[in-house]
Amino acid sequence: IMVYESGITQIETKLDILNKENKIAGRRNSIETVKSRIKTPQSIIEKLEKKGLPISFTSMMENLNDIAGIRVICPYISDIYNIKNMLLKHPDITLIEEKDYIKDPKESGYRSLHLVVEIPVYLSESTHNVKVEIQLRTIAMDFWATLEHELRYKTTTSVPESVRRELKRVAENIAMTDKEMEEIAIELQHLE
Ligand code: 0O2
């Protein structure tokens, strides 16, 4: 767990440096908030069981990519791709997997960019390549995902089809608003 926490810290530091650099250069902040978490043992066991995988330390290390998770919340959609490109330029970061749920939203309406990256963590006598899942999304996407997660994932009864459709419709409205806000921001930039 300490190694996973160190992986998170290293990526958080990279994001923090980017923010500071933007500030000094007088550019607007491309990161609104950064949240991180380590998956709980209970949640790790549940995920391995769900996938029909053995419950062991090796199985966890080999099969789960989201033990260490970072969520980066950005003002605009373009910020998401800028941050991705910036992170992937770092020689110590290797992209393992990318799922672009902004270009191809999930059936539920969920939108985010998911990256699984590997980063080396140097201990006194060994080096561990740690996988970290980075979820990048806008403030609007985060608003939807947070409330939908609470409503859908955590309910014990299954969500009726009509409610699923409603949630998807709301996600589409939000996506439209995201695009409109970015267009306004670009228009204002051109005036400067
Ligand atoms: P938690 O508590 O957020 O960690 P994989 O993880 O790749 O083995 P899967 O399902 O293919 O499994 O991964 P996917 O879809 O790339 O990402 C899973 C995570 O994305 C979820 O984590 C959620 O955080 C988020 N997510 C995916 N779909 C939805 C959705 O429809 N609504 C919301 N609100 N979030 C979603 P966990 O593990 O479910 O939980």
Side-chain angles (χ1 to χ4, degrees), residues 37 39 47 51 66 71 97 99 101 106 108 110 114 133 135 137 144-145 148-149 152-153:
R37 65 108 182 88
K39 223 173 176 62
K47 194 152 192 176
K51 289 177 172 242
D66 66 339
R71 191 166 286 158
E97 188 183 272
K99 290 184 191 166
Y101 297 128
K106 287 192 97 165
S108 60
Y110 176 78
H114 289 191
E133 186 194 67
Q135 296 184 348
R137 49 174 82 148
W144 184 91
E148 191 262 5
H149 191 269
R152 207 159 81 96
Y153 272 44

Side-chain angles (χ1 to χ4, degrees), residues 69-88:
I70 300 187
R71 191 166 286 158
V72 185
I73 300 164
C74 305
Y76 300 104
I77 299 168
S78 57
D79 295 327
I80 293 175
Y81 294 100
N82 290 339
I83 292 166
K84 173 195 135 180
N85 293 336
M86 185 282 296
L87 281 178
L88 297 186

